[in-house]
Amino acid sequence: MKNALERMLCTELEVHLQQDDSDQRMSEDSEELGGTDPIKPAVRAPRNRRNGFSSKSIQGELGKLPLEIPRDRNGTFEPQLIAKHQRRLAGFNEKILALYAKGMTARDIQDVVKDLYGVDVSPMLVSEITSDLDSEGKTWQTRRLDSVFPIMYLDGIVVHIRNESGRVTEHTMYVAIDIDFSGKKELLGLWLHETEGAKSWLSCLTDLKNRGLNDVFIVCVDGLTGFPEAITAAYPEAKVQLLCI
């Protein structure tokens, strides 16, 4: 959440700087058309640009989040997603992502956010934010893993997905969760397939192996046909523990 919010704020500042630059160019062009004093040359104002960060803590559903808020040189940047004096996160960003995940356009999201919060958010800003967060998600999906885990749980969850034609169909979300040597639980990966099968699980396990996970002591799974064989193909030394549900 911290990474996502900071990326959102940086994207919002970038859009602000682009708008400032565009406004300044239009102003300069207007002055040139209106004529200038040939004896006294025009002095061009420096372009607005980034100017480091300021620290701020936001209280949200996940607890207190320390954030680095980006600043601009001219001091004209007024964040909309997290206002300057805002100290609580009231689900604003989650709403944008939830609406985006449902397949709404940037313009639709802009209208809904205006109705819910009374805040004007440009379609360009919404598009930039969702694009940045998509990049953040892909970075998480491909991150390197520890070489060995003692325990790993694998399971499939049925979810409903809306396709490009608007039709909602059932898919299986493949989930891999590990417990490391300190007892900490971590979500290793999520993969979406149309159905659950041993062959698809083998592709998920191969992805984990390509990301650095070379061995697992115990793998806990349900009774899907061919599942133990798929695990053995990827991790020959792993012990398969069937879970009774």
Side-chain angles (χ1 to χ4, degrees):
M1 179 61 73
K2 171 181 169 63
N3 290 343
L5 291 175
E6 288 177 344
R7 288 183 74 100
M8 287 179 178
L9 290 166
C10 287
T11 301
E12 189 176 355
L13 174 59
E14 191 62 36
V15 172
H16 173 75
L17 293 177
Q18 292 173 6
Q19 186 61 52
D20 265 9
D21 189 53
S22 176
D23 292 345
Q24 187 170 346
R25 289 181 184 277
M26 291 179 60
S27 177
E28 290 173 355
D29 291 343
S30 177
E31 289 177 2
E32 290 178 2
L33 290 174
T36 58
D37 189 340
I39 299 177
K40 182 184 294 184
V43 178
R44 295 181 179 273
R47 303 290 183 192
N48 195 9
R49 60 186 186 276
R50 294 177 177 272
N51 186 33
F53 297 86
S54 59
S55 298
K56 177 178 181 177
S57 292
I58 292 290
Q59 185 68 36
E61 295 177 0
L62 300 178
K64 185 171 289 187
L65 292 175
L67 300 178
E68 296 297 318
I69 311 295
R71 301 178 302 193
D72 64 328
R73 179 69 65 181
N74 293 351
T76 57
F77 177 48
E78 295 280 348
Q80 292 180 322
L81 299 177
I82 301 177
K84 279 191 173 181
H85 301 292
Q86 183 178 346
R87 291 295 176 181
R88 297 191 64 85
L89 193 63
F92 179 84
N93 303 287
E94 291 90 333
K95 290 289 185 181
I96 292 182
L97 294 177
L99 294 172
Y100 178 73
K102 292 178 181 178
M104 299 181 72
T105 66
R107 183 72 67 176
D108 292 334
I109 296 174
Q110 180 194 30
D111 292 341
V112 172
V113 170
K114 174 66 175 178
D115 291 340
L116 290 175
Y117 300 99
V119 176
D120 285 312
V121 179
S122 71
M124 181 174 69
L125 176 58
V126 172
S127 177
E128 291 287 344
I129 287 174
T130 51
S131 176
D132 271 2
L133 290 178
D134 184 53
S135 174
E136 185 81 13
K138 289 178 179 178
T139 298
W140 176 84
Q141 285 179 318
T142 58
R143 74 196 188 283
R144 296 294 295 176
L145 302 173
D146 292 344
S147 60
V148 179
F149 284 123
I151 302 175
M152 180 166 64
Y153 292 88
L154 303 175
D155 199 7
I157 301 174
V158 176
V159 295
H160 293 83
I161 302 294
R162 187 185 303 276
N163 59 26
E164 295 180 356
S165 65
R167 182 184 176 188
V168 177
T169 58
E170 287 188 350
H171 285 62
T172 299
M173 182 69 74
Y174 289 59
V175 183
I177 297 174
D178 83 273
I179 297 178
D180 65 18
F181 288 99
S182 65
K184 181 180 178 182
K185 188 183 298 183
E186 179 185 3
L187 178 62
L188 299 179
L190 298 169
W191 304 265
L192 189 65
H193 293 265
E194 291 187 359
T195 57
E196 184 177 11
K199 185 178 294 185
S200 295
W201 269 117
L202 180 57
S203 71
C204 299
L205 294 169
T206 301
D207 178 55
L208 292 176
K209 201 159 190 175
N210 290 337
R211 289 163 53 200
L213 179 56
N214 296 321
D215 195 14
V216 183
F217 295 168
I218 301 173
V219 182
C220 304
V221 299
D222 59 19
L224 178 69
T225 302
F227 209 165
E229 290 77 9
I231 295 169
T232 302
Y235 298 104
E237 301 298 322
K239 303 298 182 182
V240 179
Q241 174 69 55
L242 296 180
L243 299 177
C244 298
I245 301 176

